[in-house]
Amino acid sequence: APAPPPVVEPAPPPRPNPILTLETIPDGLEVTTEEISSAYQADKAAAHTKLTNKTLKVTGIADKIFVKEHLDIQYILLTTAERGDMWNVRGTFDKKLAYQLRRLTPGERLTIQGKYNGCERNIILKDCVLVR
């Protein structure tokens, strides 16, 4: 008997952006830089209000890795795959974690967890740790 035709699994639908769809954001929410950026582009004030005092896990592409221990400045800038005029996420780290940041390379996809701390030119997370 001929082999049955292969079953093609339909691609899962893209998940709705939790920052836009959830009424309240749970602590420890996992999002991508694309999701947080598009939420900011859709409604910056609403996104800011929802994220205030929340801890987030954000996955994105390391764009800049900045370690200046003598100035106590350690941060990673996470960007989106498309870049363009999207918002980036800046995660600041304690000096004790500088050694971890030195091992990273720009272009690497990684996950950081930190507390939302508003936005300036970037969306800011403070007290970050690497989740990988």
Side-chain angles (χ1 to χ4, degrees), residues 8 14 23 28 32 42 50 62 65 71 80-81 93 100 106 109 116 130:
V8 178
E23 198 57 46
T32 63
K50 276 188 177 182
I65 298 153
L71 299 172
T80 60
F93 289 76
Q100 292 183 334
R109 190 165 180 82
Y116 174 77
L130 278 176

Side-chain angles (χ1 to χ4, degrees), residues 50-92:
K50 276 188 177 182
L51 295 175
T52 297
N53 293 322
K54 298 297 178 183
T55 297
L56 301 173
K57 285 183 185 168
V58 182
T59 300
I61 296 162
D63 185 36
K64 286 198 180 79
I65 298 153
F66 194 87
V67 180
K68 293 269 187 283
E69 282 173 278
H70 62 288
L71 299 172
D72 194 16
I73 301 172
Q74 292 78 224
Y75 69 84
I76 296 175
L77 210 54
L78 289 182
T79 188
T80 60
E82 298 83 52
R83 294 176 188 258
D85 59 351
M86 303 289 272
W87 284 82
N88 290 326
V89 175
R90 176 179 164 151
T92 61

Side-chain angles (χ1 to χ4, degrees), residues 55-58 76 78 91-94 97 100-101 104 110-115 125-132:
T55 297
L56 301 173
K57 285 183 185 168
V58 182
I76 296 175
L78 289 182
T92 61
F93 289 76
D94 188 274
L97 299 175
Q100 292 183 334
L101 303 195
L104 303 173
L110 44 95
T111 302
I112 63 174
Q113 177 177 306
K115 196 164 184 86
L125 297 181
K126 64 177 184 175
D127 304 327
C128 287
V129 293
L130 278 176
V131 182
R132 254 291 181 274

